[in-house]
Amino acid sequence: MEFTGGIMLPNKTALKIIKKYIIRFEKGEDLNKFKEELIKSLLDHNLLIKTEDGTYTLVSENREELMHSKIGSLREGVEKFVIPSDLKKMKNPKILDLCSGMAYNAIAALHFNKNCSIDMIECCKEVLFLSMCIDIPYREHDIMKEKLKNFFRGNCEGEDKINIYANDARKVIKKLNNKYNVVFHDAFSPQRDSVLYTLDFLKKLYEKMEDNSILISYSSSIPFRSALVSAGFVISEGDSIGRKRGITIGYKNPSKDRVLKRISLTDERLIALSTVGVPYRDVNLNLTHEEIVKNRYLERIRMKEKLLSMGKYYSTKKVKLGKIDKKFLDIQDLNLNSSEIILKMRELLES
Ligand SMILES: C[S@@+](CC[C@H](N)C(=O)[O-])C[C@H]1O[C@@H](n2cnc3c(N)ncnc32)[C@H](O)[C@@H]1O
């Protein structure tokens, strides 16, 4: 993947190719005249890949990394984001579609609930443009293509059912005035780009969410889940789709009828008691990934020293194996959700 200003972007060559066509489109040229040429050019360079459901994804510099998983770009949108959010049952849901990319998640959302309104945030205009040029087998793709056409031609005025913000989500989030029922969090993995997984960004998201709203991410990373808990979310394990670990669901003040599934006992302990649970931080929402990772590394050292001085340090191995004070294990036996368990264990650790 390509880094620009500390943010990870899709493949540089692909973006360069697409940019040439954006310029032609903005000058008024008809998309149908060149979209096949654009697709052919990306395919010829092995930059566009057909996934198992027949929809396309973009490749990165590192051939192992794609924008979507191989099980299918559209399938991912449906199974990892739309179905777990229970969108179908919602009345006029307001969705924040973070890292919209080729708009698969947004199109899938419209397909399952035509009454949803969506704020889309994507920092890379090229991938949004690509969405207009590929085939996505849902009728709602036509609605999205029309929206994107107006966006690229500068014909978007005022608030609409679908709004597109082409910038770093950290900048956009500060300006949004809406409150959301559903957040699709579809950034690249925190190991490669942590900027949208920090406690500080998640706190901002939390502020913009309604009560009983839901945030969904395919990432099950420990520092991310830890940050969700610290930001106030009630976390729940989702199904694993095309991966070993389940997706992560975060609720804001969930209603009593929400079915919450605990994350693994090991993960609860790692989040609460080990330095692996130290979240990524970006207080002013402007650091690069490298700065965030370095700061977290230093914070882990500080935490270890503090716990050692209190006689409460447990190695990651001990935490994983549960070779810790029984008082912590007793908390895990309580009939509480994972966030409540983690907060209680943290309280005990710090007492
Ligand atoms: C995994 S892909 C998302 C795929 C997308 N949801 C779809 O349906 O096609 C991640 C996307 O996040 C975008 N991105 C990365 N960092 C970002 C940031 N800080 N703000 C906004 N978008 C970002 C990338 O350009 C990329 O398109």
Side-chain angles (χ1 to χ4, degrees), residues 83-95:
I83 292 177
S85 66
D86 234 351
L87 258 188
K88 228 174 170 176
K89 292 191 194 144
M90 291 186 191
K91 251 190 183 175
N92 309 317
K94 285 200 181 69
I95 303 174

Side-chain angles (χ1 to χ4, degrees), residues 122-329:
E122 168 57 54
C123 65
C124 180
K125 276 187 175 183
E126 289 84 349
V127 284
L128 289 169
F129 186 79
L130 189 58
S131 182
M132 286 196 290
C133 305
I134 53 174
D135 290 327
I136 300 178
Y138 278 167
R139 255 183 300 156
E140 292 71 19
H141 188 205
D142 290 338
I143 302 172
M144 188 57 67
K145 283 194 281 191
E146 194 53 32
K147 184 75 212 176
L148 286 165
K149 189 172 146 191
N150 288 331
F151 171 78
F152 279 97
R153 290 256 158 90
N155 297 336
C156 286
E157 278 170 25
E159 283 268 305
D160 210 343
K161 251 177 82 77
I162 304 174
N163 299 296
I164 301 173
Y165 301 91
N167 207 336
D168 184 340
R170 294 177 296 176
K171 288 195 180 128
V172 179
I173 197 75
K174 291 177 186 164
K175 292 181 191 153
L176 291 177
N177 292 320
N178 287 332
K179 284 225 168 185
Y180 301 94
N181 308 104
V182 176
V183 176
F184 296 155
H185 186 295
D186 198 8
F188 289 119
S189 67
Q191 293 80 0
R192 298 197 191 100
D193 191 3
S194 54
V195 304
L196 301 185
Y197 292 92
T198 65
L199 170 57
D200 311 278
F201 181 70
L202 295 170
K203 274 184 183 166
K204 274 270 172 286
L205 282 182
Y206 191 84
E207 278 170 25
K208 309 279 171 181
M209 291 172 68
E210 299 279 9
D211 282 344
N212 200 28
S213 58
I214 173 169
L215 173 146
I216 299 178
S217 165
Y218 67 84
S219 171
S220 58
S221 109
I222 300 289
F224 169 52
R225 286 182 166 179
S226 173
L228 284 171
V229 175
S230 299
F233 288 93
V234 172
I235 58 169
S236 177
E237 178 95 12
D239 292 339
S240 57
I241 298 137
R243 298 172 143 237
K244 274 198 209 132
R245 288 163 65 87
I247 62 167
T248 300
I249 298 176
Y251 295 103
K252 174 170 176 173
N253 301 328
S255 61
K256 288 211 165 62
D257 57 345
R258 283 282 193 200
V259 180
L260 304 173
K261 190 175 165 205
R262 292 233 336 238
I263 61 171
S264 75
L265 296 177
T266 311
D267 281 14
E268 284 179 355
R269 291 196 295 272
L270 283 173
I271 292 172
L273 309 174
S274 86
T275 65
V276 185
V278 169
Y280 299 106
R281 298 300 309 258
D282 180 14
V283 178
N284 297 314
L285 302 182
N286 60 2
L287 296 181
T288 63
H289 169 68
E290 292 76 7
E291 288 168 331
I292 292 169
V293 169
K294 188 172 161 218
N295 290 344
R296 176 170 176 266
Y297 170 73
L298 296 173
E299 186 52 39
R300 285 183 69 174
I301 294 176
R302 278 195 289 272
M303 180 178 169
K304 183 174 173 179
E305 281 167 359
K306 186 177 156 204
L307 290 175
L308 278 170
S309 73
M310 294 162 76
K312 287 189 169 181
Y313 174 73
Y314 297 110
S315 69
T316 305
K317 194 173 168 196
K318 282 197 170 162
V319 174
K320 276 188 182 167
L321 294 171
K323 291 190 171 169
I324 53 175
D325 192 326
K326 189 173 173 301
K327 283 188 205 146
F328 293 112
L329 299 175

Side-chain angles (χ1 to χ4, degrees), residues 7-8 10 67-68 99-100 102 104-105 122-124 168-169 186:
I7 294 178
M8 193 157 97
M67 262 181 71
H68 302 86
C99 301
S100 304
M102 284 133 95
Y104 285 110
N105 299 348
E122 168 57 54
C123 65
C124 180
D168 184 340
D186 198 8

